[in-house]
Amino acid sequence: MIDLMKDLNEPQREAVTTIEGPVMVIAGAGSGKTRALTYRVAYMIQEGIDPFSIMALTFTNKAAREMKERIMQLVNASDARNVWMGTFHSIFARILRIEAEKIGFTANFSIYDTDDSKALITQILKDLSLDTKVYPAKQVLSRISAAKSSLYSPEDYANDPEIQETDRKSNKPLIAQLFKLYNERLHRANAMDFDDILYFTNVLLRDNPDVLYKYQNHFKFILVDEYQDTNFAQYLIVKRIAALFENLCVVGDDAQSIYAFRGANIQNILNFKNDYPDYKLIRLEQNYRSTQNIVNASNAVIAHNKDQIKKKVWSDKEKGELIGLLHANSDTEEGTMVANSIFQYKMNRHLPNKSFAILYRTNAQSRSMEEALRKQNIPYKIYGGLSFYDRKEIKDLLAYFRVVINPEDEQALLRIINYPARGIGKTSIERMMVVANEHRTSIWKCMESNVFPQDFNMGTVNKFRDFMVMIKSFQSLQAKMNAFELAKHITNTIGLIKVLKEDDSPEGVSRVENVEELLNAIMEFSDRQVDETTGETARVDLVQFMEDVALLTDSEMKKDDPNEDHVSLMTIHSAKGLEFPYVYVVGMEENLFPGILSLSTREELEEERRLFYVAITRAMTKLTLSYAEMRYRYGNLTLSERSRFVDEIDPSLIEQTQKASFRGTSSMGGRPFGRFSEHGFRNLPNTPSPKPTVSQPASQSAAPQQNLEPSNPDLLQEGMRVMHAKFGAGTVLSIEGAGANKKASVHFDTAGVKMLMLKFARLAIIK
């Protein structure tokens, strides 16, 4: 038996061994939370607790898999497999399939993703002849999703006067009707959306006391990871199931609660002490990830939040480098400075590209970073774009799999009934939808019952029947073929590869490769499944694979090649849970970070501060912040002010840098650096100090300001000497833009470099 305690510090040991009663583990960033969780489950199994009675809830399948794999290394593998470990949605979907009939579904119900839901709402809007500009499908879905997350049924929504008044004021009085029709169409298709998994689990436990009692006795020990990210529905489900034994352990960090926009409620973790007055509080405060300076900076920032559970994170690592601060004139220059800094660190410290990450508040900020990295020939990868499972050819093939499993899945059926083309026209499909709606049933059931529009000729009817026969032939093979065999058979039979190969462009070739990669993914998934009694590879059917795909989170939909070497660009939200040796947090400006929409309440501002805390704590070795005086936003150049969050860090922790004020060139291959602050070269070995390229005679610098009329901005050229009423004499370094947005970077003799809008600057050319 492995001695689990030898690898743990004292608070971790306490978190692992306190297995009875309510326990809250507040785990600071980089404090070994995952180790404590996995060792806790392993310890419980070692102590003789039935693994079937343990439910461990996570927010990603990846986290669940990694934890289970670690537990299997610590205790008997078959015992580890018997733990109910997975995401909220995967565990609750598993329960719903067992109890489906009690809530009016069958066990093979489909799970709609966001695109499916928007397509269904768009169809409903079309049926009702509603203007999609007044009722954008995305906004309607967001409203319905928020209602479901608050456990509102369509009837609850329609009967809430405050909600109805809000909808009327926003000129969307029919949301309640759309909500009702949307739910009815989902039910008719034997489908749920993501929010329904939580909604119907609550309904199941609320309306069926015998089912609730069954699962209360089944799950005697419950663990919840990232508890600060739970929403109201998740909170209520856990509270109900844990009510009998109250052996509930929640792990999280209130300082990293950053998903309020998804419905996460920080009060769930803050109020745990009120729900369970006899709870045990354990703090994991030693940070194993970052240097002391980075940890001290994060502590200083989060200390400004009022709503928090107090803790003092510390590190016994070296003090480390001071936090860098880059001060740029514009967002373009900010990108250049960041790229130059990365280039210098790479060259002087012999670092791979994957050591670096650039984090930003909004996706729009990536543009200037991308452009600058390309100029430096630094490879990069943006996270948060189109995922593998969102590509058209992949969604097409998955739609076939969905229809084979659940032929009443209307959105999947509509996607594939004439793809690849089989002569079923758009008008014929729409006529079938009308017939199905009139009979309040599905298109599939109409085909099965031989119910078609009266004016359909036999040729059209036979095309629908041929499609139905093909799908039924696939269904007949489900019991005979494993997931990979059936998926390959379907792919070959429908001729998808053949259609895709007709496009021999690089994009067409890529689509074929994507389909082949999907088949590889099914094979890989099948190889991962193990028989819990023998330990041998278990037979996996298509239903199991589709369940896994349907419940993938955004962050899991892309696979990284460990051999790839690139700088990572992503939003701070996407970076949660990750770590990098060198981290750049860009755009540290008021109204950008914190965002302008987050300044109306203290709660919103504190969430922004928690987001900055998350950004800081991604860094292991070096943290660099950057901001610009001017930035293009919505097509307009706006002046910016340094973020208050920067000023909340103790100045002694920040490397005092100068603003960009010169041109420089690299000693390595003559690569131009552009305007750059001294910070990019500070503390880097073997790096020559750059020198300003512009120097002027004193007589010119002292040119009198009087008697100089503002010159026509169109006459200005790089290298010209100019006079400004406030900044005095200077030299034009560069000119960019056109018309009203034309601007110039000017190196003033006494004021340094300024980026000026020429229509306001009133510069005079010195003769």
Side-chain angles (χ1 to χ4, degrees):
M1 183 179 292
I2 296 176
D3 180 8
L4 300 174
M5 299 300 112
K6 64 182 178 64
D7 298 324
L8 305 174
N9 62 33
E10 190 53 43
Q12 288 174 335
R13 288 192 197 104
E14 189 177 11
V16 166
T17 58
T18 309
I19 58 177
E20 293 189 346
V23 178
M24 181 164 67
V25 180
I26 296 299
S31 63
K33 174 197 69 161
T34 302
R35 168 169 289 195
L37 267 173
T38 53
Y39 276 52
R40 179 183 174 89
V41 175
Y43 177 80
M44 292 165 72
I45 294 172
Q46 278 192 358
E47 290 296 296
I49 291 173
D50 182 357
F52 282 104
S53 70
I54 302 171
M55 178 169 65
L57 298 168
T58 67
F59 273 85
T60 67
N61 288 300
K62 179 183 176 184
R65 278 196 299 269
E66 289 178 352
M67 285 173 61
K68 186 166 282 192
E69 287 168 2
R70 289 198 200 183
I71 295 167
M72 289 169 62
Q73 296 169 4
L74 299 172
V75 296
N76 183 283
S78 62
D79 285 338
R81 292 190 194 98
N82 292 334
V83 175
W84 280 55
M85 178 174 287
T87 64
F88 284 88
H89 287 84
S90 65
I91 295 294
F92 297 156
R94 184 176 170 186
I95 291 173
L96 289 176
R97 292 198 189 279
I98 295 171
E99 313 290 347
E101 291 185 4
K102 291 184 171 63
I103 51 172
F105 289 82
T106 62
N108 65 332
F109 62 79
S110 296
I111 299 173
Y112 277 13
D113 64 16
T114 302
D115 287 341
D116 295 322
S117 295
K118 285 195 290 190
L120 176 54
I121 288 172
T122 300
Q123 183 60 50
I124 294 170
L125 293 169
K126 184 178 179 181
D127 293 344
L128 297 177
S129 300
L130 292 177
D131 188 345
T132 55
K133 292 181 180 178
V134 178
Y135 290 94
K138 184 177 180 180
Q139 287 185 20
V140 174
L141 180 60
S142 176
R143 194 79 173 136
I144 292 172
S145 176
K148 289 185 177 182
S149 295
S150 299
L151 302 182
Y152 270 59
S153 68
E155 293 72 27
D156 296 330
Y157 190 97
N159 294 328
D160 188 309
E162 187 175 338
I163 290 176
Q164 294 309 301
E165 180 61 23
T166 300
D167 285 348
R168 278 193 293 272
K169 286 182 177 178
S170 61
N171 197 32
K172 294 177 177 60
L174 299 180
I175 295 285
Q177 182 183 352
L178 295 173
F179 187 1
K180 184 173 184 290
L181 290 171
Y182 171 71
N183 260 24
E184 288 175 355
R185 294 282 287 272
L186 279 173
H187 192 266
R188 188 191 307 172
N190 192 33
M192 297 184 189
D193 63 20
F194 238 54
D195 298 305
D196 282 331
I197 295 174
L198 300 179
Y199 177 85
F200 281 114
T201 302
N202 269 291
V203 170
L204 175 70
L205 300 178
R206 181 196 68 196
D207 296 348
N208 299 275
D210 56 327
V211 176
L212 174 60
Y213 186 68
K214 169 184 171 181
Y215 289 104
Q216 285 177 336
N217 277 279
H218 189 141
F219 301 119
K220 295 182 174 66
F221 296 87
I222 302 174
L223 293 85
V224 182
D225 189 17
E226 304 287 7
Y227 191 65
Q228 78 279 352
D229 293 335
T230 54
N231 62 23
F232 177 64
Q234 291 162 331
Y235 158 81
L236 202 56
I237 294 169
V238 170
K239 195 169 190 297
R240 279 187 167 132
I241 297 177
L244 189 59
F245 293 99
E246 290 196 348
N247 294 324
L248 172 63
C249 175
V250 302
V251 182
D253 182 6
D254 59 294
Q256 297 186 64
S257 178
I258 59 172
Y259 294 119
F261 67 96
R262 293 183 189 169
N265 186 354
I266 191 175
Q267 296 304 318
N268 292 346
I269 194 167
L270 296 178
N271 291 333
F272 188 82
K273 60 185 178 183
N274 299 329
D275 290 332
Y276 305 96
D278 59 341
Y279 83 115
K280 174 81 171 179
L281 174 62
I282 301 169
R283 294 181 175 90
L284 305 184
E285 298 175 306
Q286 182 175 359
N287 181 302
Y288 292 94
R289 175 188 299 155
S290 308
T291 63
Q292 291 182 46
N293 281 335
I294 294 171
V295 169
N296 290 341
S298 66
N299 285 338
V301 168
I302 204 64
H304 287 78
N305 272 11
K306 179 180 178 182
D307 290 338
Q308 62 173 297
I309 299 169
K310 294 292 184 181
K311 61 181 178 300
K312 184 68 174 177
V313 179
W314 58 278
S315 172
D316 64 0
K317 284 192 166 189
E318 61 183 1
K319 194 170 184 181
E321 300 179 54
L322 293 174
I323 293 161
L325 184 62
L326 303 180
H327 178 182
N329 291 299
S330 66
D331 50 352
T332 301
E333 183 174 80
E334 181 187 36
T336 300
M337 295 170 74
V338 169
N340 290 344
S341 177
I342 291 174
F343 181 80
Q344 285 292 306
Y345 279 123
K346 277 183 57 182
M347 295 298 103
N348 288 284
R349 299 185 179 182
H350 309 291
L351 299 169
N353 296 303
K354 60 186 177 183
S355 295
F356 300 89
I358 301 174
L359 310 182
Y360 34 76
R361 181 64 182 85
T362 65
N363 279 306
Q365 293 170 253
S366 70
R367 180 194 56 79
S368 59
M369 298 297 144
E370 290 184 75
E371 291 174 357
L373 291 170
R374 280 199 296 267
K375 288 176 182 176
Q376 290 280 26
N377 292 322
I378 298 174
Y380 65 89
K381 183 175 182 179
I382 293 182
Y383 291 76
L386 186 66
S387 81
F388 176 77
Y389 289 99
D390 278 337
R391 300 182 188 280
K392 179 186 181 302
E393 61 276 12
I394 300 303
K395 290 182 80 72
D396 289 337
L397 188 50
L398 291 177
Y400 271 96
F401 300 164
R402 285 167 53 182
V403 171
V404 170
I405 295 166
N406 173 22
E408 295 184 65
D409 185 338
E410 188 172 278
Q411 291 306 308
L413 186 143
L414 291 174
R415 187 179 188 100
I416 62 167
I417 197 167
N418 194 43
Y419 183 79
R422 50 181 59 89
I424 300 177
K426 182 179 178 182
T427 302
S428 297
I429 295 171
E430 290 176 347
R431 300 282 301 284
M432 281 298 294
M433 291 175 65
V434 170
V435 169
N437 287 335
E438 288 174 349
H439 288 78
R440 302 185 67 81
T441 187
S442 65
I443 293 175
W444 180 264
K445 282 188 176 176
C446 286
M447 290 191 292
E448 276 194 317
S449 304
N450 202 32
V451 176
F452 294 94
Q454 292 182 356
D455 58 349
F456 267 19
N457 59 43
M458 283 309 298
T460 302
V461 170
N462 286 334
K463 288 171 184 175
F464 279 92
R465 285 176 176 166
D466 289 345
F467 172 78
M468 181 176 64
V469 169
M470 180 183 67
I471 296 299
K472 286 192 172 184
S473 74
F474 297 151
Q475 291 175 325
S476 69
L477 297 173
Q478 282 184 281
K480 302 174 186 177
M481 292 182 171
N482 65 26
F484 174 74
E485 292 167 342
L486 182 55
K488 189 172 183 180
H489 174 73
I490 293 171
T491 305
N492 292 336
T493 303
I494 64 177
L496 180 59
I497 296 289
K498 181 182 178 182
V499 171
L500 294 176
K501 282 186 174 179
E502 291 174 359
D503 178 3
D504 59 0
S505 68
E507 292 78 12
V509 173
S510 177
R511 293 186 188 103
V512 174
E513 291 173 346
N514 287 337
V515 170
E516 292 171 347
E517 179 59 28
L518 176 61
L519 296 176
N520 292 338
I522 298 173
M523 176 67 84
E524 180 186 333
F525 177 80
S526 301
D527 290 343
R528 284 206 313 263
Q529 308 309 307
V530 178
D531 186 284
E532 295 177 351
T533 56
T534 66
E536 297 176 333
T537 301
R539 182 186 178 282
V540 175
D541 61 30
L542 203 54
V543 174
Q544 291 168 278
F545 175 75
M546 290 302 294
E547 177 88 345
D548 192 66
V549 169
L551 296 172
L552 282 175
T553 58
D554 293 343
S555 61
E556 297 177 280
M557 287 188 174
K558 283 188 176 180
K559 286 190 175 180
D560 269 337
D561 182 346
N563 298 317
E564 283 188 14
D565 185 31
H566 53 253
V567 175
S568 297
L569 275 67
M570 66 186 78
T571 64
I572 302 168
H573 282 101
S574 299
K576 188 168 181 287
L578 304 178
E579 59 184 31
F580 302 90
Y582 293 75
V583 170
Y584 293 78
V585 186
V586 301
M588 294 302 305
E589 298 142 31
E590 286 292 301
N591 299 329
L592 180 57
F593 197 16
I596 193 169
L597 299 178
S598 304
L599 301 176
S600 57
T601 68
R602 178 173 58 80
E603 289 77 15
E604 291 170 341
L605 179 60
E606 291 197 353
E607 171 128 345
E608 287 286 286
R609 187 176 285 112
R610 292 193 294 269
L611 189 60
F612 183 44
Y613 176 87
V614 167
I616 294 172
T617 55
R618 299 312 94 198
M620 302 165 69
T621 303
K622 176 73 177 182
L623 172 68
T624 302
L625 312 176
S626 69
Y627 66 100
E629 287 190 357
M630 285 179 284
R631 183 178 300 274
Y632 273 103
R633 302 190 71 184
Y634 309 110
N636 295 313
L637 193 65
T638 59
L639 295 176
S640 303
E641 178 186 351
R642 187 167 80 181
S643 170
R644 69 188 75 188
F645 294 157
V646 175
D647 299 325
E648 291 173 357
I649 299 174
D650 188 331
S652 67
L653 299 174
I654 297 178
E655 196 171 0
Q656 296 305 310
T657 62
Q658 293 183 9
K659 187 176 151 187
S661 59
F662 55 79
R663 290 179 183 267
T665 54
S666 168
S667 61
M668 303 167 191
R671 185 184 300 276
F673 274 86
R675 298 180 303 281
F676 196 72
S677 80
E678 291 181 0
H679 167 72
F681 303 93
R682 182 169 295 173
N683 297 330
L684 299 180
N686 305 318
T687 307
S689 298
K691 293 182 173 58
T693 59
V694 179
S695 60
Q696 300 295 335
S699 59
Q700 283 191 332
S701 295
Q705 296 183 34
Q706 62 273 21
N707 301 324
L708 288 175
E709 292 296 325
S711 303
N712 185 339
D714 293 336
L715 300 177
L716 289 177
Q717 298 178 18
E718 289 188 17
M720 277 187 171
R721 292 288 290 172
V722 294
M723 180 66 68
H724 186 275
K726 178 179 179 181
F727 302 126
T731 302
V732 178
L733 298 179
S734 66
I735 299 174
E736 54 188 274
N741 287 324
K742 194 172 186 179
K743 59 184 185 295
S745 177
V746 182
H747 181 276
F748 291 101
D749 300 343
T750 57
V753 174
K754 301 288 182 183
M755 180 69 75
L756 305 175
M757 290 289 290
L758 294 183
K759 65 179 179 180
F760 301 123
R762 298 174 61 80
L763 294 175
I765 298 173
I766 300 175
K767 302 297 184 185

